[in-house]
Amino acid sequence: INMSIPFGWKLLDGEFFHELIKVTSTEKEGNIVVAQGDIKAGTTIVLARGFDNGDTASVLCSIFEKKVSQDKQENMLFERMNNLCPSSISHSAEHYKKFHNDRDELEKLKQDVLPSSEGITIDDLILLEMKIDLNSLHHGLFPLASLFNHSCKANCVGYPSNEEDNVHEIRLIEDVQQGTQLTLNYLEERYWYLPVDQRRLVLSRRWFFECGCDRCTCVYDGEKYLESLNCNLKDCQGTLFLDTKSETFRCDKCQNFLPQNCSDELQTETYAQIQVAASEENIETQHQIYLSALNKINLHLNDKHWMKVVLFKRISETSFSLAQELGQADQEDEEKTKEFQEMAELHYKMLSLILNSESKIYPTYDYHISMIYEQLNYICGILFGEDSEEAQKNMNKMIEIRNVCGWMETL
């Protein structure tokens, strides 16, 4: 028995729990995972067995198969469900609301499908649903992994192990010192570059807590740029940062200030344009709408503003798709060749702007950052040649990051 693991859990076959980490209990956060010594980035700290993602019925069936299995290991995996939060259906009225209408469906499932559900009540099944909902990661439910708390700038990453089915690997993506809490980012990547109020809203609706991580409390300098504006006073190239206390944006150079709601209308109109573009089937029409939206906000919003990053990502995708189409055209068609070059250059520019923003708020050795370097390497190969210094620099950076965070072919 590893005494650093709570609830008396024994490691199952194929599981691993690093000797320099432990689970401890705190009054504010409950159980947290902390480092008991200094650990280097790239270290695998947990291998956790669990259940694949799927619809509620399939996950419940999978759990109950463990319950009735003759295999002790399978039984132990089922027993871990008892220790996961919530401990009762009354834990959160808001969370219970998500499932209280499932009673008829669960009754049918209990009678027709679930093996050995004798003595199990519908309330027990609803509680299991709530446990699955709260503790599932992007790829499934892994009780050992569910011990890790959330951070919007996590120092660990989790993904399916390439070595064995139903095993989740957790790896450090930052060097950590003794006493550091180890965290995972519960959010999908598409939410990472949103400002704190929007991230907190997603987290509270999905996991029923208000995030108080270092990033949400503005310990990281990059956070303030997500809602920053450009100062448009003559000869000033400063940045206006939001001051929530005074409810104003204030320039870091000339001290010019604007009311907090000064860009609300512009952002609302731009967001509506983004929604229109997303519903378009024609990629060229999409591309033009995104460019028009970017042109509208370009002078006003800082390049690291979250809405600009959304547009950089969308334009990066559409320009790449259009470049691929143009690349298949007749090489002797000079007009098509010129258009291809322009699209490739635009894709390169958008990727560079995305990297400039996300590198301020994402972990240094995050897999999503490596994907940008991979795309930059590819487009640099087209623009400057595969052996160019720029292409090789991006390739080397991608490899450096993936040697730490892992080569996640499964993502």
Side-chain angles (χ1 to χ4, degrees), residues 154-310:
N155 49 26
C156 299
V157 64
Y159 52 89
S161 170
N162 294 321
E163 303 299 322
E164 191 177 343
D165 290 340
N166 292 334
V167 172
H168 200 71
E169 178 173 351
I170 296 178
R171 186 186 279 229
L172 275 173
I173 52 173
E174 287 182 1
D175 293 343
V176 297
Q177 297 180 331
Q178 182 176 353
T180 304
Q181 183 179 174
L182 307 180
T183 55
L184 292 169
N185 196 330
Y186 294 177
L187 292 169
E188 294 176 47
E189 190 267 339
R190 63 196 172 109
Y191 297 117
W192 289 10
Y193 50 85
L194 296 181
V196 58
D197 58 332
Q198 295 186 49
R199 294 198 311 274
R200 279 179 166 169
L201 183 63
V202 174
L203 287 163
S204 66
R205 286 177 173 174
R206 174 64 184 82
W207 285 281
F208 307 98
F209 69 88
E210 181 172 298
C211 187
C213 72
D214 285 349
R215 191 180 153 197
C216 283
T217 51
C218 291
V219 170
Y220 298 110
D221 191 55
E223 187 68 24
K224 65 183 182 181
Y225 283 93
L226 295 178
E227 296 182 276
S228 60
L229 311 177
N230 294 325
C231 184
N232 291 323
L233 287 186
K234 189 179 179 182
D235 299 327
C236 181
Q237 295 182 326
T239 303
L240 291 151
F241 293 110
L242 179 61
D243 179 1
T244 52
K245 289 182 180 178
S246 64
E247 298 185 342
T248 59
F249 283 93
R250 191 169 292 275
C251 180
D252 62 346
K253 286 192 176 178
C254 71
Q255 298 304 306
N256 172 38
F257 66 92
L258 294 171
Q260 184 172 344
N261 62 356
C262 63
S263 66
D264 287 1
E265 187 176 341
L266 177 64
Q267 290 187 57
T268 300
E269 291 174 1
T270 305
Y271 185 74
Q273 270 188 283
I274 292 172
Q275 296 295 95
V276 169
S279 65
E280 272 289 341
E281 293 185 6
N282 183 286
I283 193 76
E284 194 163 348
T285 305
Q286 261 192 352
H287 184 68
Q288 292 303 322
I289 296 173
Y290 288 141
L291 286 176
S292 171
L294 181 60
N295 186 56
K296 181 185 289 187
I297 63 174
N298 205 33
L299 288 176
H300 304 284
L301 306 189
N302 187 273
D303 280 351
K304 297 183 184 72
H305 191 286
W306 72 270
M307 188 165 281
K308 261 196 175 177
V309 177
V310 170

Side-chain angles (χ1 to χ4, degrees), residues 36-50:
Q36 296 191 87
D38 297 350
I39 315 176
K40 288 287 186 185
T43 303
T44 296
I45 54 173
V46 167
L47 293 173
R49 281 180 55 182

Side-chain angles (χ1 to χ4, degrees), residues 287-288 291 315-316 318-320 322-324 326-327 334-350 379 382-383:
H287 184 68
Q288 292 303 322
L291 286 176
I315 294 169
S316 165
T318 54
S319 59
F320 182 71
L322 291 169
Q324 282 185 310
L326 290 163
E334 291 185 8
E335 188 176 336
K336 293 290 184 186
T337 302
K338 183 182 176 184
E339 286 180 30
F340 169 78
Q341 183 77 11
E342 288 173 353
M343 282 299 167
E345 288 173 359
L346 180 60
H347 181 60
Y348 174 78
K349 180 182 178 182
M350 293 298 108
I379 205 69
I382 291 172
L383 291 172

Side-chain angles (χ1 to χ4, degrees), residues 71-130:
D71 186 331
K72 270 188 175 182
Q73 297 268 320
E74 302 275 281
N75 258 249
M76 287 163 62
L77 191 55
F78 171 81
E79 291 300 324
R80 287 182 181 178
M81 296 298 295
N82 294 327
N83 300 118
L84 300 183
C85 63
S87 55
S88 73
I89 59 174
S90 60
H91 176 79
S92 166
E94 193 177 354
H95 191 199
Y96 175 68
K97 280 180 188 176
K98 285 180 70 173
F99 303 102
H100 78 281
N101 289 327
D102 291 356
R103 289 183 175 276
D104 291 344
E105 186 182 334
L106 289 171
E107 186 65 60
K108 190 172 187 310
L109 184 70
K110 183 174 182 293
Q111 291 174 4
D112 300 344
V113 182
L114 293 180
S116 187
S117 59
E118 217 174 299
I120 302 291
T121 68
I122 298 304
D123 278 354
D124 292 333
L125 294 180
I126 290 177
L127 181 59
L128 265 178
E129 281 190 303
M130 292 169 72

